[in-house]
Amino acid sequence: MLQGIREMGLHAMDIYDYLVGGFDPRLKDYVLMQSPIHMSTILLCYLFFVLYLGPRLMANRKPFQLKEAMIVYNFLLVALSIFIVYEFMMSGWVTTYNWRCDPVDTSNSPEALRMVRVAWLFWFSKIIELMDTIFFVLRKKHGQITFLHIFHHSFMPWTWWWGICYAPGGMGSFHAMVNSSVHIIMYFYYFLAAAGPRFQKFLWWKKYMTAIQLIQFVLVSLHATQYYFMDSCDYQFPMILHLIWIYGTFFFVLFSNFWIQAYVKGKRLPKQDIKQSQNGSAVHSNGKHHENGKGTNYGASNGTNSSAHHENGSAHVSKMKKA
């Protein structure tokens, strides 16, 4: 038995050496790129904190406000996303790429090295964005820590680490550029939301932000789909394109479900969205939405307590019946 375990261990090491041996040597001096162990450890610690340790630590504590920290954090991510999009464009997407079959430039030319740098920076921005969930935990916004949120924040940096190890650039980097473009809009929204109530009137476009996310996944999947209809393409890592297509399609389904639940069925609308009537004639009282004489209960999101609203509304109706 010991011999069998030893042989399995040696076989696993051979697979590991094979995988690591194919890494792009231009990334060897970048932070956290020497081994997948460091990156995986960070993500496991993230999952442990947001799913177990964080909620237990905050169970008997008041939520932190963190207003100033969130304003700075979101502003910096807007600036970082703008820089990443610019670097992707100047590294090939508006200079030498044809937006169809673009192989990875494996040379040490200034443009190729620039693409390597921005590919790593995009991946590292995903590590920074883990703070999104940390803020939710510390502010006790448990309603926002959904499966979609956690899966997206943990799965994407893990897969992209392997992606840039083998293919830092080429047509596989299209979705990174598109994703960073969307994050400019998304974190600008979060920046305004964190700035306080006086900016709430500028947040009417939240619904359209979800639509932009859906458009992102359509563009990513369509761009990857080109590969299957080309007579020939010398992109070196087609497996990455297969994963990108699956990723874009899978997240399109998840975000579409979110759209339906939030904006069609109204189950996840926050209070400020509930207060925006479709025809401007809605009246709100005790957590209920009255439109044309009909009341509809909406589940809360963003950490609001829908049950409290329901109880207030029920108590009000009960008192009216007694009267």
Side-chain angles (χ1 to χ4, degrees):
M1 180 179 290
L2 291 176
Q3 181 65 24
I5 294 174
R6 188 179 296 111
E7 290 178 355
M8 290 178 60
L10 292 174
H11 184 62
M13 288 300 297
D14 290 339
I15 296 176
Y16 177 82
D17 291 338
Y18 172 78
L19 292 173
V20 174
F23 288 179
D24 193 311
R26 296 173 297 178
L27 282 158
K28 65 179 181 179
D29 295 326
Y30 282 83
V31 176
L32 298 175
M33 298 307 299
Q34 290 72 38
S35 168
I37 295 175
H38 308 115
M39 168 270 300
S40 299
T41 301
I42 291 174
L43 295 176
L44 288 174
C45 290
Y46 159 78
L47 291 173
F48 176 72
F49 180 82
V50 301
L51 295 176
Y52 179 76
L53 182 61
R56 287 180 66 88
L57 292 176
M58 294 301 299
N60 298 318
R61 289 180 171 86
K62 293 183 178 180
F64 293 98
Q65 297 303 315
L66 303 175
K67 178 180 177 181
E68 291 78 11
M70 291 177 61
I71 290 175
V72 173
Y73 168 77
N74 290 308
F75 177 79
L76 291 178
L77 278 177
V78 170
L80 179 60
S81 298
I82 292 173
F83 178 75
I84 289 174
V85 172
Y86 174 78
E87 287 296 297
F88 269 123
M89 293 171 65
M90 300 309 296
S91 299
W93 285 101
V94 296
T95 55
T96 58
Y97 284 16
N98 60 26
W99 294 66
R100 297 195 72 239
C101 178
D102 295 300
V104 179
D105 185 349
T106 58
S107 71
N108 288 318
S109 69
E111 190 174 65
L113 293 177
R114 191 174 185 178
M115 177 62 79
V116 170
R117 182 184 67 182
V118 70
W120 173 85
L121 186 59
F122 173 78
W123 172 79
F124 192 73
S125 72
K126 301 299 125 186
I127 298 298
I128 297 174
E129 289 167 12
L130 297 179
M131 285 301 300
D132 291 0
T133 325
I134 305 300
F135 281 129
F136 288 155
V137 172
L138 296 179
R139 296 171 63 228
K140 301 183 77 169
K141 299 289 185 179
H142 304 303
Q144 293 184 341
I145 307 176
T146 61
F147 166 79
L148 174 59
H149 176 90
I150 293 177
F151 183 80
H152 177 71
H153 276 67
S154 57
F155 183 75
M156 187 168 184
W158 194 85
T159 54
W160 237 89
W161 188 92
W162 292 95
I164 65 171
C165 279
Y166 288 100
M171 62 187 302
S173 65
F174 174 78
H175 80 288
M177 183 177 65
V178 174
N179 182 252
S180 295
S181 301
V182 172
H183 278 203
I184 296 173
I185 302 172
M186 186 179 74
Y187 282 104
F188 180 68
Y189 171 88
Y190 293 154
F191 168 76
L192 291 178
R198 65 184 182 277
F199 290 95
Q200 293 297 316
K201 60 184 178 181
F202 301 113
L203 302 180
W204 54 268
W205 45 279
K206 178 182 180 181
K207 177 178 181 179
Y208 302 100
M209 189 170 67
T210 305
I212 293 171
Q213 293 270 26
L214 291 171
I215 294 172
Q216 167 192 202
F217 298 124
V218 171
L219 291 175
V220 167
S221 295
L222 287 177
H223 181 264
T225 301
Q226 294 182 101
Y227 179 80
Y228 303 110
F229 296 94
M230 295 178 186
D231 294 332
S232 64
C233 179
D234 54 354
Y235 180 71
Q236 300 94 321
F237 301 95
M239 178 57 69
I240 291 177
L241 296 180
H242 303 331
L243 293 174
I244 289 173
W245 189 90
I246 294 172
Y247 182 89
T249 304
F250 179 66
F251 273 92
F252 178 81
V253 172
L254 290 180
F255 273 79
S256 296
N257 179 66
F258 174 83
W259 175 280
I260 293 171
Q261 297 300 321
Y263 300 113
V264 177
K265 296 183 178 180
K267 292 182 178 180
R268 292 180 55 83
L269 288 175
K271 290 185 290 184
Q272 62 265 30
D273 290 340
I274 297 175
K275 292 179 181 179
Q276 296 176 357
S277 170
Q278 294 179 353
N279 58 11
S281 62
V283 179
H284 301 267
S285 176
N286 293 327
K288 284 197 173 184
H289 175 82
H290 301 274
E291 183 171 296
N292 300 328
K294 296 181 181 180
T296 305
N297 285 327
Y298 284 86
S301 67
N302 297 329
T304 54
N305 191 333
S306 59
S307 61
H309 291 301
H310 179 73
E311 290 173 4
N312 290 340
S314 299
H316 179 71
V317 173
S318 178
K319 290 179 180 180
M320 291 296 294
K321 287 181 177 180
K322 289 181 180 179

